[in-house]
Amino acid sequence: MTSSRPRISPRRSNRALAAGESADPARVNGGSSSSSSARLLQPPAHTHTYTHARLHEINAAATISTNCARSLFRCQHSLTTPSAHDARRRAGMLPSRPRERAVPLERRARTSCPADDAAAGGSPHRLAMLQPGSGDDRGPPGLAQRSVRIALVVALYWLVSVSMVFLNKHLLGGAGASEGLDAPLFVTFYQCAVTVALCWAMRSLAGLFPRRVRFPELGCDTQILLQVLPLSLVFTGMITFNNLCLKFVGISFYNVGRSLTTVFNVLMSYMILGQGTSLPALLCCGMIIGGFWLGVDQEDMSGTLSVAGVVFGVVASLCVSLNAIYTKKVLPLVGGSLWRLAYYNNINACLLFMPIILLVGEAPKLLAFEHVFSPHFWMIMTLGGVLGFGIGYVTGLQIQVTSPLTHNVSGTAKACVQTVVAVSYFGEFKTVLWWASNVLVLTGSFFYTWVKGHEMKKAQQDFMKDLQKA
């Protein structure tokens, strides 16, 4: 392959400049024009005149040098970079990564180090992980620390979630627990009030220690309260019916009683958002429904079935599904902050609970409760509110250190452990079919999560392919 532009010896340029010729601006700036090419091919008479054969030899030598340089660049590119995309970026042919200045390849070669390569996405440890038997089986630095951190976060999520369920069961009393306060609405109201107080406490800490604590700005905007009110109605129903279901059924059946959340997600997504669902996901929903009905049947056979508890569980599942859908719509009103949304939701919930508590007559029950003036009782009530606030934090933390798919799988595994712990703690005897209902529900939930994650990944890959074609 020969170059179309003639190559001129540097000695020719030096002699021309020494003889008083003016430098060609197009040549200095790397451009080309017909006039400049004419001057280069036809030097003035008072300089040495190059023959056509001599120019051909110079062009051939320059072409060989250029091809050698290109071959050397390609070899260096294949040896020092994991992908052609990163090589072009490092050579300055593509925009730099966010917050990273584009650096020429030769300069990167002189100043590169493992930390810089890892930051640029071309770590040799990553290549070792992708190529078995490459000689480095230790994995990337910090892998052990990251695994320990993930394990600790997952364990913290399980601990907070299971502890909150058992503590609420202790406060509410009912089936399978000691007699508690017969005022589930007041218990829920108090937990919402504790959440609002903790939001203000976190905001104060963020103001005192801005580098260590991050929390969004809070206020009491009446317009935002009114805009969030439809979601707050759903949120209030969700936490209320969750606690009512927990009051009337045992903890061992609590997971099955609220297992229809996934089914309602599919239905509400189709009815409200117009989103369809694939056949494998529908089959998983069918498995969950089968497990639910089998669990209800086995509870009836054992004589522990509470129809009210089952109804409250179904309504709670519906509210959970609606809460997830409307949260996406309302979240932009609070600047995309889940903490601000939780703050306004709990304020609205407190305002909604006050008249309802008076109407259903829970105020006299609270005053007649024998432990109403006990510091131990209020300490447990406050701890329940702290756990309710903490479950939001550890849920976000688990998603951050893992992924939404892993979070859902972790929640399914947590429900399984919670059921086993409840049966063991309360000394309950369950039949084989009862355990089979739990297995169906948990298996259907797990595979539904896996199917949706696979579909989302495939959709993302198809989008990237279409983007590359465009």
Side-chain angles (χ1 to χ4, degrees):
M1 175 179 180
T2 60
S3 176
S4 59
R5 192 174 65 183
R7 304 298 198 272
I8 304 301
S9 173
R11 287 182 293 180
R12 157 73 181 90
S13 300
N14 293 337
R15 287 198 300 269
L17 292 175
E21 288 182 329
S22 61
D24 186 4
R27 183 181 178 187
V28 172
N29 296 328
S32 62
S33 62
S34 59
S35 61
S36 62
S37 299
R39 287 197 300 271
L40 294 178
L41 293 176
Q42 299 177 2
H46 61 270
T47 61
H48 176 70
T49 304
Y50 283 82
T51 63
H52 179 74
R54 180 58 178 168
L55 288 176
H56 180 72
E57 293 175 0
I58 294 175
N59 289 339
T63 302
I64 295 175
S65 301
T66 303
N67 292 337
C68 291
R70 289 176 179 173
S71 301
L72 180 62
F73 173 80
R74 290 170 182 168
C75 293
Q76 185 181 11
H77 149 77
S78 62
L79 292 175
T80 58
T81 57
S83 66
H85 193 269
D86 286 342
R88 292 195 296 272
R89 177 180 285 109
R90 293 185 181 188
M93 299 170 63
L94 291 177
S96 61
R97 297 178 184 271
R99 299 183 182 179
E100 179 184 352
R101 185 165 53 90
V103 182
L105 181 61
E106 59 273 9
R107 184 177 173 187
R108 288 290 283 262
R110 292 195 303 268
T111 62
S112 63
C113 64
D116 296 334
D117 291 340
S123 172
H125 296 285
R126 189 180 73 172
L127 295 180
M129 293 175 62
L130 297 177
Q131 298 175 1
S134 57
D136 189 356
D137 297 331
R138 294 175 299 174
L143 179 60
Q145 291 85 342
R146 184 172 181 272
S147 301
V148 171
R149 185 189 180 202
I150 291 176
L152 291 176
V153 170
V154 172
L156 180 63
Y157 169 76
W158 285 27
L159 177 64
V160 173
S161 181
V162 174
S163 299
M164 185 177 66
V165 172
F166 274 82
L167 185 62
N168 283 341
K169 185 62 178 178
H170 174 74
L171 290 171
L172 296 169
S178 59
E179 192 64 28
L181 176 62
D182 188 18
L185 296 180
F186 176 78
V187 172
T188 311
F189 160 78
Y190 186 81
Q191 291 177 351
C192 292
V194 171
T195 299
V196 174
L198 288 175
C199 286
W200 275 110
M202 291 297 297
R203 180 58 235 166
S204 301
L205 289 176
L208 294 175
F209 308 100
R211 295 184 178 181
R212 296 183 176 272
V213 181
R214 295 180 181 179
F215 206 81
E217 293 287 344
L218 299 178
C220 194
D221 193 331
T222 307
Q223 184 178 1
I224 295 181
L225 286 173
L226 293 176
Q227 291 174 336
V228 177
L229 183 59
L231 174 63
S232 299
L233 292 172
V234 177
F235 171 77
T236 303
M238 178 185 71
I239 57 179
T240 300
F241 287 111
N242 271 336
N243 283 343
L244 288 174
C245 175
L246 186 59
K247 178 179 177 59
F248 286 95
V249 303
I251 297 179
S252 57
F253 185 70
Y254 181 62
N255 178 60
V256 175
R258 295 176 58 255
S259 61
L260 296 182
T261 300
T262 301
V263 179
F264 282 118
N265 281 339
V266 174
L267 291 176
M268 295 298 105
S269 297
Y270 178 76
M271 295 175 62
I272 298 177
L273 303 178
Q275 297 178 354
T277 305
S278 63
L279 180 60
L282 292 177
L283 292 177
C284 295
C285 291
M287 187 180 300
I288 294 173
I289 295 174
F292 172 79
W293 282 113
L294 181 60
V296 171
D297 178 72
Q298 291 303 302
E299 285 286 307
D300 188 23
M301 293 288 292
S302 61
T304 57
L305 177 65
S306 170
V307 178
V310 173
V311 172
F312 290 142
V314 173
V315 178
S317 301
L318 175 61
C319 290
V320 171
S321 175
L322 291 174
N323 182 76
I325 293 175
Y326 281 105
T327 295
K328 297 180 181 179
K329 295 184 176 182
V330 178
L331 199 57
L333 300 177
V334 291
S337 172
L338 289 174
W339 283 120
R340 291 189 67 198
L341 181 60
Y343 168 73
Y344 281 107
N345 257 339
N346 282 275
I347 289 180
N348 280 336
C350 291
L351 297 176
L352 291 171
F353 274 126
M354 288 181 181
I356 299 176
I357 290 174
L358 296 176
L359 289 175
V360 300
E362 286 194 357
K365 295 180 181 179
L366 175 63
L367 296 176
F369 187 58
E370 56 180 346
H371 301 295
V372 67
F373 297 107
S374 171
H376 178 71
F377 168 73
W378 290 106
M379 183 180 67
I380 295 179
M381 288 277 289
T382 304
L383 180 59
V386 172
L387 291 176
F389 177 84
I391 191 64
Y393 173 76
V394 296
T395 297
L397 184 61
Q398 181 172 242
I399 294 175
Q400 179 182 358
V401 300
T402 58
S403 66
L405 177 61
T406 306
H407 166 69
N408 290 332
V409 174
S410 174
T412 303
K414 185 269 304 179
C416 179
V417 173
Q418 177 179 292
T419 301
V420 174
V421 171
V423 171
S424 302
Y425 180 78
F426 294 108
E428 300 174 348
F429 174 78
K430 302 297 181 182
T431 63
V432 176
L433 290 178
W434 186 92
W435 287 108
S437 68
N438 281 266
V439 171
L440 281 174
V441 169
L442 295 174
T443 304
S445 301
F446 172 79
F447 279 108
Y448 177 84
T449 301
W450 182 82
V451 167
K452 296 300 289 185
H454 179 72
E455 291 177 353
M456 292 177 62
K457 183 178 180 180
K458 186 177 182 300
Q460 184 179 9
Q461 292 175 350
D462 293 341
F463 174 78
M464 294 303 298
K465 291 180 180 178
D466 294 340
L467 190 62
Q468 291 176 357
K469 291 179 180 179

